[in-house]
Amino acid sequence: MTNMIWKCEQWFGGQMQETQMFLSEEQARAFAKKLAGVAPDLTLKIEPMPIQHVWN
């Protein structure tokens, strides 16, 4: 089991709209790829995150 998860934040118009958590970078990037081009102001930020920061 890994100690990291991948967080994908959706930013629209300079404000965070939603955060999704994934078990692998590949899952996070596949999700981001599905949203590519949906809206011109949509920005996706993907980053690793220690699982301890999510579930304590």
PDB file of all heavy atoms in Angstrom, residues 31-48:
ATOM      1  N   PHE A  31      -8.215  11.521 -15.537  1.00  0.00           N
ATOM      2  CA  PHE A  31      -9.358  12.373 -15.188  1.00  0.00           C
ATOM      3  C   PHE A  31      -9.167  13.773 -15.782  1.00  0.00           C
ATOM      4  O   PHE A  31     -10.084  14.327 -16.385  1.00  0.00           O
ATOM      5  CB  PHE A  31      -9.489  12.452 -13.667  1.00  0.00           C
ATOM      6  CG  PHE A  31     -10.560  13.394 -13.193  1.00  0.00           C
ATOM      7  CD1 PHE A  31     -11.884  13.033 -13.258  1.00  0.00           C
ATOM      8  CD2 PHE A  31     -10.230  14.641 -12.680  1.00  0.00           C
ATOM      9  CE1 PHE A  31     -12.885  13.900 -12.818  1.00  0.00           C
ATOM     10  CE2 PHE A  31     -11.212  15.514 -12.247  1.00  0.00           C
ATOM     11  CZ  PHE A  31     -12.538  15.142 -12.312  1.00  0.00           C
ATOM     12  N   ALA A  32      -7.964  14.324 -15.636  1.00  0.00           N
ATOM     13  CA  ALA A  32      -7.681  15.658 -16.160  1.00  0.00           C
ATOM     14  C   ALA A  32      -7.802  15.685 -17.682  1.00  0.00           C
ATOM     15  O   ALA A  32      -8.311  16.652 -18.253  1.00  0.00           O
ATOM     16  CB  ALA A  32      -6.284  16.107 -15.727  1.00  0.00           C
ATOM     17  N   LYS A  33      -7.385  14.625 -18.324  1.00  0.00           N
ATOM     18  CA  LYS A  33      -7.462  14.548 -19.783  1.00  0.00           C
ATOM     19  C   LYS A  33      -8.917  14.600 -20.258  1.00  0.00           C
ATOM     20  O   LYS A  33      -9.222  15.210 -21.276  1.00  0.00           O
ATOM     21  CB  LYS A  33      -6.788  13.267 -20.273  1.00  0.00           C
ATOM     22  CG  LYS A  33      -6.641  13.176 -21.756  1.00  0.00           C
ATOM     23  CD  LYS A  33      -5.865  11.939 -22.148  1.00  0.00           C
ATOM     24  CE  LYS A  33      -5.691  11.878 -23.655  1.00  0.00           C
ATOM     25  NZ  LYS A  33      -4.939  10.696 -24.060  1.00  0.00           N
ATOM     26  N   LYS A  34      -9.821  13.971 -19.498  1.00  0.00           N
ATOM     27  CA  LYS A  34     -11.250  13.997 -19.849  1.00  0.00           C
ATOM     28  C   LYS A  34     -11.816  15.418 -19.784  1.00  0.00           C
ATOM     29  O   LYS A  34     -12.733  15.760 -20.517  1.00  0.00           O
ATOM     30  CB  LYS A  34     -12.053  13.096 -18.910  1.00  0.00           C
ATOM     31  CG  LYS A  34     -11.823  11.625 -19.117  1.00  0.00           C
ATOM     32  CD  LYS A  34     -12.651  10.832 -18.151  1.00  0.00           C
ATOM     33  CE  LYS A  34     -12.327   9.362 -18.218  1.00  0.00           C
ATOM     34  NZ  LYS A  34     -13.086   8.586 -17.225  1.00  0.00           N
ATOM     35  N   LEU A  35     -11.276  16.233 -18.883  1.00  0.00           N
ATOM     36  CA  LEU A  35     -11.778  17.596 -18.708  1.00  0.00           C
ATOM     37  C   LEU A  35     -11.078  18.624 -19.601  1.00  0.00           C
ATOM     38  O   LEU A  35     -11.504  19.772 -19.650  1.00  0.00           O
ATOM     39  CB  LEU A  35     -11.639  18.028 -17.250  1.00  0.00           C
ATOM     40  CG  LEU A  35     -12.514  17.274 -16.257  1.00  0.00           C
ATOM     41  CD1 LEU A  35     -12.254  17.783 -14.842  1.00  0.00           C
ATOM     42  CD2 LEU A  35     -13.981  17.407 -16.591  1.00  0.00           C
ATOM     43  N   ALA A  36     -10.033  18.207 -20.284  1.00  0.00           N
ATOM     44  CA  ALA A  36      -9.278  19.134 -21.129  1.00  0.00           C
ATOM     45  C   ALA A  36     -10.195  19.720 -22.201  1.00  0.00           C
ATOM     46  O   ALA A  36     -10.917  19.014 -22.889  1.00  0.00           O
ATOM     47  CB  ALA A  36      -8.103  18.419 -21.769  1.00  0.00           C
ATOM     48  N   GLY A  37     -10.194  21.027 -22.301  1.00  0.00           N
ATOM     49  CA  GLY A  37     -10.967  21.717 -23.320  1.00  0.00           C
ATOM     50  C   GLY A  37     -12.430  21.934 -22.989  1.00  0.00           C
ATOM     51  O   GLY A  37     -13.170  22.462 -23.807  1.00  0.00           O
ATOM     52  N   VAL A  38     -12.868  21.557 -21.794  1.00  0.00           N
ATOM     53  CA  VAL A  38     -14.271  21.741 -21.414  1.00  0.00           C
ATOM     54  C   VAL A  38     -14.623  23.223 -21.335  1.00  0.00           C
ATOM     55  O   VAL A  38     -15.670  23.646 -21.805  1.00  0.00           O
ATOM     56  CB  VAL A  38     -14.568  21.035 -20.064  1.00  0.00           C
ATOM     57  CG1 VAL A  38     -15.942  21.386 -19.537  1.00  0.00           C
ATOM     58  CG2 VAL A  38     -14.436  19.532 -20.225  1.00  0.00           C
ATOM     59  N   ALA A  39     -13.754  24.004 -20.736  1.00  0.00           N
ATOM     60  CA  ALA A  39     -13.979  25.448 -20.602  1.00  0.00           C
ATOM     61  C   ALA A  39     -12.628  26.147 -20.734  1.00  0.00           C
ATOM     62  O   ALA A  39     -11.621  25.635 -20.240  1.00  0.00           O
ATOM     63  CB  ALA A  39     -14.617  25.767 -19.259  1.00  0.00           C
ATOM     64  N   PRO A  40     -12.598  27.313 -21.368  1.00  0.00           N
ATOM     65  CA  PRO A  40     -11.309  27.998 -21.569  1.00  0.00           C
ATOM     66  C   PRO A  40     -10.623  28.430 -20.279  1.00  0.00           C
ATOM     67  O   PRO A  40      -9.403  28.496 -20.233  1.00  0.00           O
ATOM     68  CB  PRO A  40     -11.661  29.205 -22.433  1.00  0.00           C
ATOM     69  CG  PRO A  40     -13.138  29.333 -22.403  1.00  0.00           C
ATOM     70  CD  PRO A  40     -13.705  28.025 -21.981  1.00  0.00           C
ATOM     71  N   ASP A  41     -11.371  28.715 -19.236  1.00  0.00           N
ATOM     72  CA  ASP A  41     -10.780  29.176 -17.967  1.00  0.00           C
ATOM     73  C   ASP A  41     -10.538  28.048 -16.968  1.00  0.00           C
ATOM     74  O   ASP A  41     -10.164  28.312 -15.828  1.00  0.00           O
ATOM     75  CB  ASP A  41     -11.683  30.222 -17.310  1.00  0.00           C
ATOM     76  CG  ASP A  41     -11.618  31.569 -18.025  1.00  0.00           C
ATOM     77  OD1 ASP A  41     -10.746  31.730 -18.892  1.00  0.00           O
ATOM     78  OD2 ASP A  41     -12.447  32.438 -17.719  1.00  0.00           O
ATOM     79  N   LEU A  42     -10.782  26.803 -17.356  1.00  0.00           N
ATOM     80  CA  LEU A  42     -10.605  25.673 -16.446  1.00  0.00           C
ATOM     81  C   LEU A  42      -9.127  25.296 -16.380  1.00  0.00           C
ATOM     82  O   LEU A  42      -8.488  25.039 -17.391  1.00  0.00           O
ATOM     83  CB  LEU A  42     -11.418  24.466 -16.902  1.00  0.00           C
ATOM     84  CG  LEU A  42     -11.319  23.233 -16.022  1.00  0.00           C
ATOM     85  CD1 LEU A  42     -11.930  23.492 -14.646  1.00  0.00           C
ATOM     86  CD2 LEU A  42     -12.008  22.053 -16.684  1.00  0.00           C
ATOM     87  N   THR A  43      -8.591  25.302 -15.170  1.00  0.00           N
ATOM     88  CA  THR A  43      -7.204  24.915 -14.932  1.00  0.00           C
ATOM     89  C   THR A  43      -7.216  23.742 -13.964  1.00  0.00           C
ATOM     90  O   THR A  43      -7.967  23.746 -12.987  1.00  0.00           O
ATOM     91  CB  THR A  43      -6.406  26.078 -14.313  1.00  0.00           C
ATOM     92  OG1 THR A  43      -6.498  27.209 -15.178  1.00  0.00           O
ATOM     93  CG2 THR A  43      -4.958  25.709 -14.121  1.00  0.00           C
ATOM     94  N   LEU A  44      -6.385  22.756 -14.230  1.00  0.00           N
ATOM     95  CA  LEU A  44      -6.286  21.594 -13.358  1.00  0.00           C
ATOM     96  C   LEU A  44      -4.897  21.542 -12.739  1.00  0.00           C
ATOM     97  O   LEU A  44      -3.899  21.715 -13.428  1.00  0.00           O
ATOM     98  CB  LEU A  44      -6.555  20.314 -14.146  1.00  0.00           C
ATOM     99  CG  LEU A  44      -7.950  20.250 -14.753  1.00  0.00           C
ATOM    100  CD1 LEU A  44      -8.030  19.151 -15.782  1.00  0.00           C
ATOM    101  CD2 LEU A  44      -8.998  20.052 -13.684  1.00  0.00           C
ATOM    102  N   LYS A  45      -4.854  21.318 -11.447  1.00  0.00           N
ATOM    103  CA  LYS A  45      -3.593  21.224 -10.716  1.00  0.00           C
ATOM    104  C   LYS A  45      -3.532  19.832 -10.096  1.00  0.00           C
ATOM    105  O   LYS A  45      -4.409  19.459  -9.316  1.00  0.00           O
ATOM    106  CB  LYS A  45      -3.540  22.300  -9.634  1.00  0.00           C
ATOM    107  CG  LYS A  45      -2.293  22.278  -8.797  1.00  0.00           C
ATOM    108  CD  LYS A  45      -2.349  23.368  -7.745  1.00  0.00           C
ATOM    109  CE  LYS A  45      -1.174  23.271  -6.808  1.00  0.00           C
ATOM    110  NZ  LYS A  45      -1.278  24.229  -5.711  1.00  0.00           N
ATOM    111  N   ILE A  46      -2.510  19.065 -10.464  1.00  0.00           N
ATOM    112  CA  ILE A  46      -2.332  17.712  -9.948  1.00  0.00           C
ATOM    113  C   ILE A  46      -1.070  17.680  -9.110  1.00  0.00           C
ATOM    114  O   ILE A  46      -0.010  18.139  -9.557  1.00  0.00           O
ATOM    115  CB  ILE A  46      -2.224  16.694 -11.100  1.00  0.00           C
ATOM    116  CG1 ILE A  46      -3.511  16.696 -11.923  1.00  0.00           C
ATOM    117  CG2 ILE A  46      -1.923  15.304 -10.570  1.00  0.00           C
ATOM    118  CD1 ILE A  46      -3.436  15.875 -13.184  1.00  0.00           C
ATOM    119  N   GLU A  47      -1.183  17.137  -7.890  1.00  0.00           N
ATOM    120  CA  GLU A  47      -0.002  17.040  -7.039  1.00  0.00           C
ATOM    121  C   GLU A  47      -0.121  15.860  -6.090  1.00  0.00           C
ATOM    122  O   GLU A  47      -1.225  15.483  -5.682  1.00  0.00           O
ATOM    123  CB  GLU A  47       0.203  18.331  -6.247  1.00  0.00           C
ATOM    124  CG  GLU A  47      -0.898  18.675  -5.285  1.00  0.00           C
ATOM    125  CD  GLU A  47      -0.673  20.016  -4.583  1.00  0.00           C
ATOM    126  OE1 GLU A  47       0.369  20.642  -4.792  1.00  0.00           O
ATOM    127  OE2 GLU A  47      -1.543  20.427  -3.828  1.00  0.00           O
ATOM    128  N   PRO A  48       1.023  15.262  -5.734  1.00  0.00           N
ATOM    129  CA  PRO A  48       1.012  14.174  -4.751  1.00  0.00           C
ATOM    130  C   PRO A  48       0.771  14.751  -3.365  1.00  0.00           C
ATOM    131  O   PRO A  48       1.105  15.903  -3.086  1.00  0.00           O
ATOM    132  CB  PRO A  48       2.407  13.567  -4.871  1.00  0.00           C
ATOM    133  CG  PRO A  48       3.256  14.675  -5.375  1.00  0.00           C
ATOM    134  CD  PRO A  48       2.360  15.535  -6.230  1.00  0.00           C
TER     135      PRO A  48
END
